[in-house]
Amino acid sequence: MERIAIIDLGSNTARLLLIDVNENGYFQIVDQLKESPRLGEGMERDGFLKPARIHDTIKTLKMFRKLCDANGIEQIIAVATAAVRRAKNQRSFLDEVSATCGIKLRVLSAEEEAIYVYRGVINTMDIPKGIILEIGGGSTKIVYYNRRNLLNYETLPFGAITLTELFASDGLTPQQQAEKIEEFFTEQLKNIEWLKDVDPEAQLIGVGGSFRNLCRMTKIMKKYPLRAIHNYVVTDTDFVHVYDLLKSLDLDRKKKIKGLSSDRADILPSALSAISAFKKYMNLGDITISTSGLRTGILFNHAVPSTIEKPISDVFTYSLNAITDFYGCNNAHTDQVVNLSVQLFKQLRVLHKFPRQYLKILKVAAYLCNTGRTIGYYNYEKHSGYITLNSNIYGLSHRDMVLASFVVANTAIEDINPFDWARYRDLLTDEDVDAVRKMGIMLRIANSFDRSMSSVVKGVNCDILGDSVIMKTELDGDATLEINSAMQISGDFRKIFKKNLEIL
């Protein structure tokens, strides 16, 4: 196990991640720290980093260094982006950081920054065609990919801070400032020729602090029940609502909005103006939020070097394997439970009649159903359900994540808590109760069929005859334990599927 740190020094914020990386190419974030020294503030006048901003940045980096030392960090990967890249006093700043903090910053080129953002997104999202928009403090990145291949990218030399400074004027209302920024941003987009060739089916993916703030505000307004941000979809209607709200308020009132960071209240309106202009110019609607960008791209290149050449082919399975690896699950047993669950789903399709997308939910439940044993055996199903709901599962919608957590945690009719279910009423339907119950039974049988964790049950064939389901097992050894364990579920099977269960 290797413990590393990644420092990302942007124009507005500085972020530190502490990560454990194991030999299998999986990683876990163990701590993080964020400060907003606004290094790029005031640069538009003469191109120099200002002494006050350098002072605050040095203070922040010293804190980062202290946390790294306290955690026994073996390697610090520290990068700086737009503000330092453009600064005329770049060299003196880098030397001061090295001398006072013991941190060597690598200044990323615009090209490197865009590629890292792409790698962070492509290795954590299951979106085959996307156009990524990241609005930082001092620059804006636009990245287009299709069929998971990077096609084009552009870095514009302005971001939330620089746009705010460019259009700051006591004579303009917030509404007028927004209109000016939209007009300016649209003119810049017209100079990017390849934007005209973007596939109209490409999804807009938002990366960076401005998008995360937009997401948090939207979720609070809608009383969204999940804390998860990655893969959250901000609808076009919700975006317009938040944007119109911010344009109507002065700074003091903006700072009181729940979900809006106080250190971003003055610059978020400019970022939203740029987003609005981009959406209109590209005729794009909903925004899928990604919490993975530059730092995640750097992390994947370190933990999984093959991603430098090509992205992970199956981000969904990679993330599930990472979770089971972290919780010390038996890999052979996990694979067996997943395999048997898939077989049962297909064999019983005539009874449950679920569309294929439900199979993905069952796979998640099968992968993670035993993770809770790390916490404790008693009620481990509940622990596993909590882990499922609060893990970062790439390539999975929030709705599917909630359903998978219920499948894992609730495997009998009386176990589904109506109050828990009601909490997610905006994500789930009444019909989903039946799906959770039936998939829960399939999962319990699959788990029972590998009770000894010896893979003795190789396959299952189901015959549905009248009021009975006859499961014929393909065996490689004595399966008395497995069949006896599965037959204990026959009562619940009869309640839910309305069929008697026989296992041969």
Side-chain angles (χ1 to χ4, degrees):
M1 184 75 71
E2 175 190 23
R3 179 162 289 186
I4 68 167
I6 294 178
I7 294 174
D8 171 15
L9 179 58
S11 302
N12 181 53
T13 58
R15 292 179 181 272
L16 167 70
L17 295 182
L18 304 184
I19 311 112
D20 281 342
V21 182
N22 71 19
E23 62 277 4
N24 296 322
Y26 303 128
F27 52 83
Q28 290 287 335
I29 295 173
V30 296
D31 204 350
Q32 65 175 2
L33 192 58
K34 171 199 167 189
E35 295 291 329
S36 299
R38 293 209 168 175
L39 181 60
E41 192 172 71
M43 277 188 65
E44 290 305 308
R45 292 192 295 272
D46 55 12
F48 282 88
L49 299 172
K50 298 300 176 278
R53 303 277 61 83
I54 292 175
H55 175 270
D56 288 349
T57 300
I58 295 292
K59 181 180 176 181
T60 294
L61 293 176
K62 284 181 177 178
M63 285 194 296
F64 287 3
R65 182 73 210 206
K66 184 176 182 180
L67 191 59
C68 288
D69 292 342
N71 281 271
I73 294 300
E74 302 168 33
Q75 180 181 0
I76 297 176
I77 303 172
V79 298
T81 54
V84 181
R85 183 166 61 239
R86 296 202 304 267
K88 294 179 180 178
N89 54 341
Q90 176 192 117
R91 176 43 54 195
S92 62
F93 170 73
L94 295 176
D95 290 343
E96 186 174 356
V97 168
S98 179
T100 59
C101 307
I103 296 172
K104 292 186 177 181
L105 285 166
R106 179 165 72 92
V107 182
L108 299 180
S109 67
E111 177 183 14
E112 288 175 314
E113 194 175 348
I115 290 174
Y116 277 132
V117 169
Y118 160 74
R119 288 175 181 166
V121 169
I122 203 65
N123 288 305
T124 60
M125 303 191 89
D126 190 15
I127 297 178
K129 302 176 185 178
I131 184 151
I132 304 166
L133 180 65
E134 187 203 41
I135 300 175
S139 67
T140 296
K141 274 77 69 181
I142 305 170
V143 182
Y144 172 50
Y145 69 88
N146 199 333
R147 297 182 180 178
R148 297 176 59 79
N149 292 313
L150 176 62
L151 297 182
N152 282 298
Y153 56 86
E154 185 72 35
T155 298
L156 302 175
F158 45 80
I161 290 178
T162 45
L163 286 172
T164 301
E165 292 178 346
L166 281 171
F167 293 93
S169 172
D170 294 336
L172 295 177
T173 66
Q175 177 74 40
Q176 290 170 330
Q177 287 180 346
E179 291 172 358
K180 290 284 187 182
I181 292 173
E182 283 202 40
E183 180 182 343
F184 170 78
F185 199 86
T186 300
E187 289 302 311
Q188 309 308 308
L189 295 176
K190 290 178 181 177
N191 296 323
I192 306 174
E193 287 294 327
W194 59 262
L195 287 178
K196 301 171 185 176
D197 301 322
V198 170
D199 190 317
E201 294 183 359
Q203 297 183 45
L204 175 57
I205 300 169
V207 175
S210 295
F211 282 103
R212 289 192 295 272
N213 255 236
L214 168 65
C215 175
R216 281 192 289 268
M217 292 170 65
T218 301
K219 288 167 64 178
I220 289 172
M221 291 175 182
K222 298 177 73 171
K223 297 182 179 180
Y224 194 73
L226 290 178
R227 294 186 63 185
I229 293 177
H230 194 69
N231 267 329
Y232 180 83
V233 177
V234 177
T235 66
D236 186 51
T237 301
D238 288 341
F239 172 79
V240 172
H241 177 68
V242 172
Y243 185 34
D244 288 345
L245 174 65
L246 288 185
K247 287 190 294 185
S248 66
L249 301 176
D250 59 29
L251 181 58
D252 288 338
R253 295 173 68 189
K254 287 188 183 85
K255 288 182 177 180
K256 296 177 182 178
I257 297 176
K258 291 183 178 180
L260 175 54
S261 300
S262 58
D263 59 2
R264 197 176 286 272
D266 58 334
I267 61 174
L268 183 61
S270 298
L272 296 188
S273 296
I275 296 168
S276 178
F278 188 75
K279 280 164 54 65
K280 292 174 183 176
Y281 184 77
M282 298 297 297
N283 193 29
L284 295 167
D286 298 346
I287 308 167
T288 303
I289 307 297
S290 171
T291 56
S292 301
L294 172 70
R295 293 177 297 280
T296 310
I298 293 172
L299 179 51
F300 264 103
N301 285 181
H302 179 86
V304 191
S306 62
T307 57
I308 297 173
E309 299 297 329
K310 62 179 182 178
I312 290 172
S313 58
D314 184 353
V315 299
F316 173 67
T317 302
Y318 169 85
S319 65
L320 290 172
N321 285 332
I323 297 167
T324 57
D325 181 87
F326 177 77
Y327 286 100
C329 296
N330 182 305
N331 290 336
H333 175 59
T334 298
D335 291 343
Q336 184 72 350
V337 173
V338 171
N339 179 42
L340 292 170
S341 295
V342 171
Q343 289 189 46
L344 287 169
F345 183 92
K346 294 177 179 178
Q347 292 286 323
L348 298 175
R349 192 187 298 274
V350 69
L351 291 183
H352 62 67
K353 298 182 176 64
F354 299 143
R356 184 170 176 79
Q357 58 262 36
Y358 278 83
L359 181 57
K360 191 172 190 178
I361 297 167
L362 183 56
K363 279 186 177 180
V364 173
Y367 262 101
L368 304 183
C369 64
N370 289 301
T371 53
R373 292 177 185 267
T374 304
I375 299 172
Y377 171 75
Y378 295 107
N379 293 318
Y380 79 86
E381 299 94 343
K382 301 297 182 186
H383 302 322
S384 298
Y386 177 86
I387 289 169
T388 302
L389 189 61
N390 291 277
S391 292
N392 204 4
I393 305 172
Y394 303 148
L396 192 70
S397 70
H398 287 190
R399 166 185 153 79
D400 287 355
M401 186 165 62
V402 171
L403 282 173
S405 73
F406 273 106
V407 173
V408 169
N410 304 280
T411 50
I413 293 175
E414 62 270 23
D415 282 341
I416 297 180
N417 187 319
F419 296 103
D420 289 343
W421 191 267
R423 185 183 180 197
Y424 303 101
R425 60 187 178 275
D426 292 336
L427 290 172
L428 308 178
T429 66
D430 292 339
E431 291 75 18
D432 289 327
V433 175
D434 182 56
V436 166
R437 288 170 175 167
K438 288 180 177 176
M439 287 191 290
I441 289 296
M442 287 184 263
L443 176 59
R444 287 173 67 191
I445 293 173
N447 219 351
S448 296
F449 275 160
D450 198 42
R451 184 68 183 273
S452 64
M453 293 189 286
S454 58
S455 301
V456 66
V457 179
K458 296 298 183 182
V460 181
N461 291 290
C462 298
D463 291 329
I464 301 168
L465 303 174
D467 61 355
S468 297
V469 172
I470 301 172
M471 289 187 183
K472 300 175 182 176
T473 55
E474 300 172 11
L475 305 178
D476 184 17
D478 181 12
T480 303
L481 171 63
E482 283 72 18
I483 291 175
N484 283 350
S485 296
M487 281 304 300
Q488 292 176 15
I489 305 166
S490 61
D492 287 339
F493 186 93
R494 183 168 53 253
K495 290 177 185 177
I496 293 172
F497 282 97
K498 312 303 179 187
K499 300 284 184 182
N500 296 316
L501 176 63
E502 297 181 37
I503 302 176
L504 305 177

